[in-house]
Amino acid sequence: MKPLETQGHSPKSERFAKGVSNTGQHEEGQNARELSKSKNRRHLLDSAADAIFKHGFRGATIAAIQKISGLSRGMINLHFKTKENLLLAVAEDLSNSYSERWNKIARNPDLSARDKLMGIIKVDLSPDILNERDVAIWFAFRSEACSNPEYHKFIDSRDASFHNTIVEICQTLIDEGTYPNGDAHLAADAFIALFEGMWTDFHLHSEEFDRCRAERVCLYIANSLFPDHFDLWKVQRESEL
């Protein structure tokens, strides 16, 4: 007579338990590998950006990136295939980081058009965006844009998405204030040119750059275009709070 199987401990249930355990271990191992891969990719992006900042665009060689990252050439090849792909990914990463910051403000339904413009001005002048490392890298890519058009879409001063957003905000302000002869496109061009000028001034004179004064300059223009929305003394008091 075949012996009865012990309840809850049949060979079938044990095999099933082992299968579940093996599957779980496999998934954990796979997740760990994916996490490690993601960290290495992030580390290579940061290291390549640091190489551009420290050595200039042409000095950001594979050897320089390896030295800063501590990772092998094979790791660079694994994630990006070539140095050119890695540098292109750095440009895209820098652009995405900037876009995420201003989009967070521009797409916030709880903010008025005035607060959105104020928020974008503050973000554009904030240390998280306007700092020596990132601005130097930004201008380094711009210096290469003519010889490598692939960089252009990530560092273009006439980025369509940003320009259209500023136009939309300006148009809302014009509609709310019924400003005579208001032109949202010209106003947007003025603000973008102003931001570009501030970034260039910071790049050339970072130690002397005064963020508070730069913000007041931007608000002076905002007050000139939209006086009912931007009272200079009121805005200055808000900034000091």
Side-chain angles (χ1 to χ4, degrees):
M1 180 181 296
K2 182 179 179 182
L4 294 174
E5 296 175 346
T6 304
Q7 184 176 5
H9 295 283
S10 68
K12 183 177 180 181
S13 65
E14 289 179 0
R15 287 195 301 272
F16 178 76
K18 288 180 179 178
V20 171
S21 177
N22 290 338
T23 300
Q25 291 174 357
H26 174 72
E27 290 178 350
E28 288 178 5
Q30 191 173 31
N31 290 338
R33 286 192 296 273
E34 288 299 320
L35 180 61
S36 177
K37 184 178 179 181
S38 176
K39 285 183 176 179
N40 284 337
R41 188 180 190 280
R42 178 72 260 168
H43 186 49
L44 285 171
L45 285 172
D46 291 337
S47 298
D50 286 340
I52 296 172
F53 177 52
K54 293 177 180 179
H55 308 296
F57 195 88
R58 298 303 170 91
T61 61
I62 288 290
I65 296 168
Q66 281 182 255
K67 184 176 181 180
I68 292 172
S69 68
L71 298 176
S72 67
R73 186 187 188 102
M75 191 64 71
I76 296 174
N77 293 337
L78 173 66
H79 289 280
F80 299 100
K81 306 300 182 186
T82 66
K83 187 190 84 168
E84 288 69 27
N85 287 342
L86 171 55
L87 295 180
L88 186 64
V90 171
E92 182 176 12
D93 185 61
L94 193 66
S95 176
N96 288 343
S97 177
Y98 177 61
S99 296
E100 286 171 9
R101 294 296 300 276
W102 65 258
N103 263 305
K104 185 177 180 181
I105 296 168
R107 308 307 170 201
N108 187 340
D110 297 327
L111 294 179
S112 65
R114 173 193 179 276
D115 290 340
K116 287 179 180 179
L117 185 56
M118 277 279 293
I120 289 173
I121 290 171
K122 287 180 178 294
V123 161
D124 222 68
L125 297 172
S126 70
D128 289 343
I129 296 296
L130 196 64
N131 57 73
E132 287 187 56
R133 175 185 180 273
D134 289 358
V135 171
I137 296 168
W138 198 277
F139 277 94
F141 276 111
R142 285 187 169 183
S143 70
E144 298 292 321
C146 290
S147 58
N148 192 336
E150 286 187 281
Y151 296 144
H152 200 273
K153 61 184 176 182
F154 299 121
I155 48 82
D156 190 5
S157 62
R158 298 187 179 185
D159 175 73
S161 179
F162 185 64
H163 182 269
N164 291 341
T165 297
I166 302 298
V167 168
E168 182 181 334
I169 291 172
C170 290
Q171 187 60 60
T172 301
L173 292 170
I174 290 170
D175 293 342
E176 290 176 352
T178 59
Y179 299 113
N181 304 316
D183 189 312
H185 288 272
L186 289 179
D189 288 347
F191 279 113
I192 292 172
L194 183 59
F195 296 155
E196 286 287 320
M198 291 298 180
W199 279 43
T200 301
D201 187 45
F202 177 86
H203 182 50
L204 297 175
H205 309 284
S206 59
E207 293 184 0
E208 303 167 19
F209 189 82
D210 186 335
R211 295 179 194 276
C212 292
R213 180 175 175 78
E215 184 176 318
R216 288 198 298 272
V217 171
C218 292
L219 294 177
Y220 182 83
I221 300 302
N223 172 258
S224 300
L225 294 169
F226 314 114
D228 292 344
H229 289 86
F230 293 91
D231 180 298
L232 286 180
W233 298 111
K234 180 180 179 181
V235 170
Q236 186 173 345
R237 288 195 299 272
E238 288 176 358
S239 299
E240 293 172 351
L241 294 177

